[in-house]
Amino acid sequence: MSVAEAAATAEAQEAGGKIRPSSLRRIPVIGVVTQDEEAQGAFKTMDLNRVISLLEKTDKDDLEEKQLKSVKKLVQCYQNGFPLRDLAQIFKILNLCAEKIENQPHFIESAFNILKLCSLPFLKKKVSDEITYAEDAANSIALLGELMKIPNSELRIQICKCIVDFYHAEPPKKHITGYQQASSSYKIKMAEVGGLAKTMVQSLGLLENQLVEKLWVLKALQHLSTSEVNCTLMMKAQAASGICAHLNDPDPSGQLLFRSSEILWNLLEKSSKEEIIQQLSNLECLLALKEVFKNLFMRGFSHYDRQLRNDILVITTIIAQNPGAPMIECGFTRDLILFATFNEVKSQNPLVKGLRFSNSYEDFELKKLLFNIIVILCKDLPTIQLLIDGKVILALFTYVKKPEKHKIIEWSAAQYEELQLHAIATLSSVAPLLTEEYMLCQGNARVLAFLEWCESEDPFFSHGNSFHGTGGRGNKFAQMRYSLRLLRAMVYLEDETINNDLCEKGTIQQLIGVFKNTISQSDDKEEVIVLEIQSDILLILSSLCEHHIPRKEMFGTEGVDIILRVMKTDPTKLQSGLGYNVLLFSTLDSIWCCILGCYPSEDYFLEKEGIFLLLDLLALNQKKFCNLILGIMVEFCDNPKTTAHVNAWRGKKDQTAASLLIKLWRKEEKELGVKRDKHGMIIDTKKPLFTSFQEEQKIMPLPANCPTLAVMDVAENIRAKIYAVLGKLDFENLPGLSAEDFVTLCIIHRYLDFKIGEIWNEIYEEIKLEKLRPVTTDKKILEAITTASENIGKMVASLQSEMIESQAHQDVQSEQKVYTKIQATHKQRELATKSWENFLARTSNAKALKKAKRLQEKAIESSRYSEHPPNAVFHRTDIKGLNTTSNFT
């Protein structure tokens, strides 16, 4: 009977139809397939439930042979792959075979053959089969990990091969009619769902002394670890520590180290990096990494060994970022310092005897990685003594010098330049921790000499290929930038020994000269790096000159000139993102530290219109600069010459400095959420300065050394600085203010009184919260202070109201004047119009002309004396024979 006939018979039976006895015959376990169907690869039907029930029986003597035969037939039936709909039953059969292996070794071959078929792609009859049978597929694949517990080498290796084949799927040998191959990633996804990676990690514990099987498991895990889901499962199974601890196990092939390092890389990249680092931060793992690295460093000469060595060092670098990693305890730190410095500082340690770096790419990368790990290791303070013993500062300073001509070095010019920049960058992190060694190596002198070479015209072609060499191609800007970073790091320590040594060596004048040279030498291509260099120079000068008048005098007029030059920068460049805003911050800091307090420099700054430039910057209304500029203004106003400059400044639309400051006050209060009405008047006389943040925060009892909200408010916004500047300018004589400005000025004038009242109010409220009862005298004083503060608020509010009313009255008067002027203009126009109409009437109407003539004569007669004085000459007022109607000819 064919497959089609069997299916038809099954359908007839299900429908309740009767079958003739002559047609009844036994249905074989394996159906008969025609030659055509076999050629097309049609599936042979098989009763899998019968096979399962047969395997579950244990009561017959000849049962084993039947069981093995049924499994063999199953393998033949599904030689082209397993359909998804049969997976659950097939893997149940596989599990039953596995359970029998311990007592019946003949089942090993059966299980082995089924596992071989698992390497083939699963088959689906419908597109929806992948979703329908997803749970069965996930559970079936998860069973592979459980089967690793069977102590049989062949089975374990086959399981691993099967997993590896998930990622290298081969097409079926024959096309199966009615079936399609499941998607290539289906098994991979189901392995993730089933948690196969976790059980495979756990199986490593069963393979302590079985190298071949362990290598196959590592190969399978290497493939599985390409997925984030699997990496997370492996992380939970403590895969990192388990694999790393056995890195140094004997393995002639070298696969163990390669595959293990690859898995560790994937775990670090695709799962929780912090958790993996924590798993690797134990003595056992670090000892294994140390031995592997030492072995590769001393005996690895092939390209592959060097790459693997560098990978191990990168993994170690990542672990070293964890402060809890026992890098010192395992001796790894000491060895790494030795390997990083032996080429520059001669050592008798047998580990490095006879070793030399080549100029190969791998050795070059290793040198950079060793510099990098020193930076990370120095963050752990106990490492400092090891850095001293290893003479790290001296080794790094061997690179802080100009290239020597005709000297044979192991690195190419481009490699040496990159190592030089990397060494200086490393010094910036290490040298501040080892100040004594820095001074013993004459660090300041070396850096200043190198900086002098950087600004010299000595021919030098920089490659600028590296990260550290960015922006320095064909010039020495990269070397200059990292030298200045090193100086900045040392100056920031505020160690007077270092700073005095720098000043004695003429650092201030040298840096001013470098700044001037960068202005003349730079172009648009190096704009970013030049701006960084200029910012660092100003920050170094600020640190050197702060609190030292003699150094400020050394800064002198040349220093003031470079500051003024920066302040004249086009304001539109501040938003360019190139670094102009950082340079401006550095410039304002240098005004504070290098000019203020030195009267000759202050006077020169004022003479060169420095205050005008400061106010121009303040008028840009950029919040990030306002606080610092106002602080400088407060200090500058102590100089009696400053007031005249401030009052003389004019901004856009003839704006005065006082008007600008009051405008900034209003803007700040609006941002802080201070309650004001539409005219800017006080609304709450009890809390005239309260911000929205203070309103939201409840007053809480605090220790005496903790500032309250009212005190913190002084430092957190610019109102106090505006009050201080206006106070030094004299509140009574401020030019160019509008009525609105005067209303705001009333509040600013009383800022200190309001703030004092606010603080006393907080004290009173804290006493209430702590349920303390002051003595009668203190209570009366507190109430009197609170009342006085409120009265000041009321007085200011009343004064503001008077100002607003006065302004309203002036506005009405001004409006009335304008209306009067308009009326007079209209009246003049009416008179002119009437005069023109009369003129037209006289020229076109004879009667009107005669009437006008009579009126004229009458007016003339009425203006004469009634009696003529004696001897008077009489003149006629008309001209005889005149025929015109106008007095104009």
Side-chain angles (χ1 to χ4, degrees):
M1 182 185 291
S2 67
V3 175
E5 289 173 346
T9 303
E11 286 180 4
Q13 287 178 339
E14 286 176 5
K18 295 181 180 180
I19 301 176
R20 289 178 297 175
S22 59
S23 65
L24 289 174
R25 51 181 174 168
R26 185 179 176 185
I27 300 175
V29 174
I30 300 173
V32 180
V33 183
T34 65
Q35 290 183 354
D36 294 338
E37 289 174 335
E38 188 174 2
Q40 294 175 2
F43 261 124
K44 304 173 183 179
T45 59
M46 187 166 188
D47 190 351
L48 295 175
N49 290 327
R50 182 175 177 279
V51 178
I52 293 170
S53 62
L54 185 62
L55 289 170
E56 288 175 344
K57 293 178 181 178
T58 57
D59 55 348
K60 292 183 180 180
D61 295 334
D62 59 344
L63 191 61
E64 181 178 345
E65 185 178 349
K66 292 180 179 180
Q67 291 172 338
L68 292 172
K69 188 176 180 181
S70 65
V71 175
K72 186 176 181 180
K73 290 177 180 177
L74 179 144
V75 172
Q76 291 174 351
C77 177
Y78 293 105
Q79 59 183 340
N80 291 318
F82 297 135
L84 288 172
R85 58 185 172 81
D86 295 338
L87 271 185
Q89 293 170 304
I90 291 170
F91 272 83
K92 187 172 182 181
I93 292 170
L94 175 60
N95 192 36
L96 289 170
C97 291
E99 290 173 357
K100 294 178 179 293
I101 287 174
E102 186 176 357
N103 299 319
Q104 297 171 278
H106 293 98
F107 278 94
I108 292 176
E109 184 181 356
S110 300
F112 182 84
N113 291 331
I114 295 175
L115 286 171
K116 282 182 70 176
L117 295 177
C118 290
S119 300
L120 297 174
F122 293 151
L123 303 173
K124 59 183 178 181
K125 199 163 189 176
K126 299 177 182 178
V127 175
S128 60
D129 281 359
E130 289 188 6
I131 299 172
T132 305
Y133 300 105
E135 186 177 353
D136 291 343
N139 294 334
S140 300
I141 291 176
L143 181 62
L144 295 176
E146 297 297 331
L147 294 178
M148 288 296 295
K149 297 176 183 178
I150 300 172
N152 183 275
S153 178
E154 292 181 0
L155 282 180
R156 287 172 172 172
I157 292 172
Q158 184 56 45
I159 290 169
C160 295
K161 286 181 179 179
C162 179
I163 295 170
V164 171
D165 286 339
F166 290 177
Y167 299 84
H168 308 286
E170 295 181 1
K173 297 176 183 177
K174 296 180 181 179
H175 175 69
I176 311 301
T177 305
Y179 286 88
Q180 292 180 345
Q181 183 179 335
S183 60
S184 57
S185 61
Y186 185 69
K187 285 185 178 181
I188 298 171
K189 292 178 181 177
M190 293 302 102
E192 293 175 358
V193 175
L196 177 62
K198 185 176 180 180
T199 53
M200 291 302 292
V201 171
Q202 293 169 347
S203 69
L204 278 174
L206 307 172
L207 310 172
E208 290 292 336
N209 301 314
Q210 300 168 42
L211 180 60
V212 177
E213 297 168 32
K214 184 185 290 187
L215 291 177
W216 272 106
V217 172
L218 289 173
K219 186 175 182 180
L221 287 173
Q222 183 183 354
H223 284 79
L224 289 169
S225 64
T226 56
S227 156
E228 291 185 6
V229 175
N230 286 335
C231 283
T232 303
L233 292 169
M234 292 166 68
M235 176 191 72
K236 293 178 180 178
Q238 302 292 312
S241 56
I243 292 172
C244 185
H246 295 280
L247 279 176
N248 206 32
D249 287 358
D251 174 29
S253 68
Q255 290 187 48
L256 186 145
L257 183 55
F258 164 69
R259 298 196 188 283
S260 299
S261 62
E262 185 73 19
I263 293 168
L264 290 175
W265 262 116
N266 290 339
L267 287 172
L268 285 166
E269 289 181 354
K270 299 180 186 297
S271 63
S272 172
K273 187 177 180 181
E274 294 75 18
E275 178 62 28
I276 298 299
I277 291 174
Q278 199 63 40
Q279 288 184 22
L280 296 173
S281 299
N282 59 69
L283 201 58
E284 188 179 9
C285 289
L286 287 171
L287 282 170
L289 285 167
K290 171 190 167 185
E291 293 304 320
V292 167
F293 180 75
K294 281 170 59 177
N295 184 54
L296 290 170
F297 188 89
M298 297 166 62
R299 300 178 185 84
F301 299 103
S302 68
H303 176 76
Y304 166 77
D305 287 341
R306 288 172 175 172
Q307 280 188 332
L308 194 55
R309 171 198 64 189
N310 292 356
D311 289 345
I312 296 296
L313 183 54
V314 174
I315 293 171
T316 304
T317 303
I318 295 171
I319 298 170
Q321 294 173 5
N322 179 17
M327 293 289 294
I328 298 174
E329 291 82 346
C330 69
F332 207 173
T333 298
R334 185 180 294 276
D335 289 346
L336 288 170
I337 292 171
L338 172 66
F339 294 145
T341 60
F342 81 92
N343 216 34
E344 293 77 25
V345 180
K346 299 305 177 184
S347 173
Q348 301 301 319
N349 194 306
L351 288 176
V352 294
K353 189 175 182 180
L355 285 178
R356 288 187 66 82
F357 285 118
S358 68
N359 63 354
S360 66
Y361 176 77
E362 290 76 23
D363 282 357
F364 174 59
E365 286 295 314
L366 174 65
K367 191 67 178 178
K368 292 194 294 180
L369 288 171
L370 288 169
F371 283 164
N372 184 57
I373 201 169
I374 285 176
V375 174
I376 293 170
L377 291 172
C378 74
K379 295 176 182 178
D380 187 13
L381 293 180
T383 309
I384 292 175
Q385 187 57 47
L386 296 178
L387 295 173
I388 295 171
D389 296 341
K391 299 181 181 179
V392 172
I393 295 292
L394 180 60
L396 292 171
F397 263 121
T398 59
Y399 292 91
V400 188
K401 59 183 179 182
K402 66 178 182 180
E404 298 179 12
K405 296 179 180 179
H406 310 300
K407 184 178 179 181
I408 299 173
I409 56 175
E410 59 270 27
W411 309 110
S412 67
Q415 287 175 333
Y416 182 80
E417 179 196 350
E418 189 170 346
L419 289 177
Q420 182 184 60
L421 294 172
H422 207 140
I424 300 171
T426 305
L427 271 171
S428 300
S429 299
V430 178
L433 303 171
L434 306 172
T435 53
E436 292 184 9
E437 283 64 33
Y438 176 84
M439 295 303 293
L440 286 173
C441 293
Q442 297 182 335
N444 286 336
R446 289 180 186 239
V447 177
L448 292 174
F450 187 69
L451 196 59
E452 186 177 354
W453 170 77
C454 290
E455 64 171 333
S456 69
E457 296 183 359
D458 187 15
F460 173 74
F461 182 75
S462 171
H463 293 78
N465 295 324
S466 65
F467 166 78
H468 295 290
T470 303
R473 188 171 183 82
N475 55 54
K476 305 170 192 170
F477 283 146
Q479 286 79 359
M480 187 182 292
R481 171 169 63 174
Y482 281 96
S483 301
L484 290 169
R485 283 187 185 180
L486 174 55
L487 276 181
R488 187 185 69 189
M490 299 310 297
V491 166
Y492 275 11
L493 296 173
E494 298 184 356
D495 187 321
E496 280 306 307
T497 305
I498 296 173
N499 290 356
N500 285 332
D501 183 57
L502 282 170
C503 293
E504 288 170 3
K505 288 180 168 56
T507 304
I508 294 175
Q509 290 82 0
Q510 184 177 349
L511 290 178
I512 292 173
V514 172
F515 193 102
K516 290 180 178 178
N517 288 338
T518 57
I519 295 172
S520 59
Q521 295 176 6
S522 65
D523 55 31
D524 293 339
K525 292 181 179 179
E526 291 89 23
E527 190 172 15
V528 174
I529 190 172
V530 168
L531 290 172
E532 184 183 339
I533 287 170
Q534 292 174 346
S535 299
D536 283 343
I537 289 173
L538 292 176
L539 290 172
I540 293 167
L541 291 171
S542 298
S543 296
L544 289 174
C545 295
E546 191 174 14
H547 310 309
H548 292 83
I549 300 299
R551 295 178 190 173
K552 292 182 180 182
E553 292 173 351
M554 292 168 65
F555 184 78
T557 56
E558 287 188 18
V560 175
D561 284 336
I562 64 174
I563 286 175
L564 292 170
R565 184 183 180 91
V566 176
M567 293 176 70
K568 292 175 183 177
T569 302
D570 183 359
T572 57
K573 292 183 177 180
L574 295 175
Q575 305 300 329
S576 65
L578 298 174
Y580 281 98
N581 54 346
V582 178
L583 178 60
L584 184 55
F585 272 119
S586 304
T587 304
L588 295 173
D589 187 52
S590 61
I591 295 173
W592 192 291
C593 299
C594 302
I595 297 177
L596 286 170
C598 179
Y599 294 119
S601 295
E602 285 186 12
D603 291 344
Y604 185 74
F605 184 82
L606 292 170
E607 181 184 331
K608 293 295 182 179
E609 299 182 347
I611 287 294
F612 287 3
L613 295 174
L614 274 176
L615 288 167
D616 287 340
L617 290 173
L618 191 63
L620 295 176
N621 205 8
Q622 295 196 15
K623 192 173 179 65
K624 55 189 175 185
F625 298 122
C626 287
N627 208 342
L628 191 52
I629 294 171
L630 287 169
I632 294 169
M633 292 286 295
V634 171
E635 296 297 325
F636 251 114
C637 285
D638 288 337
N639 189 321
K641 299 178 183 178
T642 303
T643 305
H645 286 264
V646 175
N647 287 331
W649 177 84
R650 291 295 181 271
K652 291 181 180 179
K653 299 180 181 179
D654 207 31
Q655 185 182 34
T656 63
S659 176
L660 172 62
L661 292 170
I662 293 170
K663 182 180 176 183
L664 288 173
W665 175 285
R666 284 198 295 268
K667 182 186 175 186
E668 184 76 2
E669 286 202 330
K670 186 177 180 180
E671 291 176 356
L672 293 172
V674 181
K675 292 180 179 178
R676 298 281 184 261
D677 67 5
K678 63 180 180 180
H679 300 295
M681 287 179 55
I682 293 172
I683 294 176
D684 188 349
T685 56
K686 291 183 179 179
K687 301 173 182 177
L689 298 177
F690 251 46
T691 64
S692 59
F693 178 76
Q694 287 176 283
E695 292 281 359
E696 292 169 3
Q697 299 296 317
K698 295 180 180 179
I699 296 175
M700 296 175 61
L702 296 170
N705 60 346
C706 291
T708 63
L709 288 173
V711 176
M712 290 295 293
D713 175 72
V714 176
E716 289 176 350
N717 57 69
I718 61 175
R719 291 189 294 179
K721 291 184 176 67
I722 293 173
Y723 165 77
V725 173
L726 289 175
K728 291 182 178 182
L729 294 177
D730 187 3
F731 285 106
E732 303 299 328
N733 299 304
L734 298 176
L737 300 185
S738 64
E740 186 182 12
D741 291 338
F742 278 113
V743 169
T744 306
L745 188 63
C746 292
I747 301 172
I748 301 174
H749 195 187
R750 290 290 185 174
Y751 173 79
L752 188 58
D753 295 329
F754 290 148
K755 185 55 68 174
I756 291 171
E758 194 176 306
I759 292 170
W760 276 109
N761 184 59
E762 281 187 337
I763 294 170
Y764 196 20
E765 292 297 326
E766 285 187 23
I767 290 172
K768 289 179 180 178
L769 289 171
E770 292 178 355
K771 297 181 180 180
L772 299 174
R773 190 175 64 183
V775 296
T776 306
T777 308
D778 289 344
K779 187 176 181 180
K780 288 181 179 179
I781 292 172
L782 282 171
E783 289 174 352
I785 292 170
T786 306
T787 305
S789 177
E790 187 176 351
N791 288 338
I792 292 172
K794 290 177 179 178
M795 180 187 70
V796 170
S798 175
L799 181 60
Q800 287 177 319
S801 298
E802 290 177 8
M803 286 182 174
I804 291 169
E805 289 174 4
S806 174
Q807 181 63 33
H809 183 65
Q810 288 180 6
D811 290 343
V812 170
Q813 288 183 333
S814 299
E815 188 178 350
Q816 190 63 44
K817 287 180 181 178
V818 171
Y819 282 139
T820 303
K821 188 175 181 181
I822 292 170
Q823 286 177 342
T825 302
H826 279 286
K827 191 169 183 179
Q828 288 293 331
R829 287 177 181 173
E830 289 174 1
L831 291 173
T833 303
K834 190 173 182 181
S835 174
W836 176 249
E837 289 174 352
N838 289 336
F839 174 72
L840 290 177
R842 292 197 304 272
T843 57
S844 59
N845 190 335
K847 291 182 179 180
L849 180 61
K850 290 178 181 180
K851 183 178 179 181
K853 180 67 175 176
R854 287 194 300 271
L855 290 172
Q856 184 182 29
E857 290 175 350
K858 187 177 179 180
I860 293 170
E861 288 298 327
S862 63
S863 65
R864 288 176 177 171
Y865 289 105
S866 55
E867 295 181 0
H868 296 289
N871 302 323
V873 179
F874 178 73
H875 297 280
R876 293 181 60 85
T877 57
D878 55 347
I879 300 173
K880 291 183 178 182
L882 186 65
N883 296 319
T884 62
T885 60
S886 174
N887 294 328
F888 302 99
T889 59

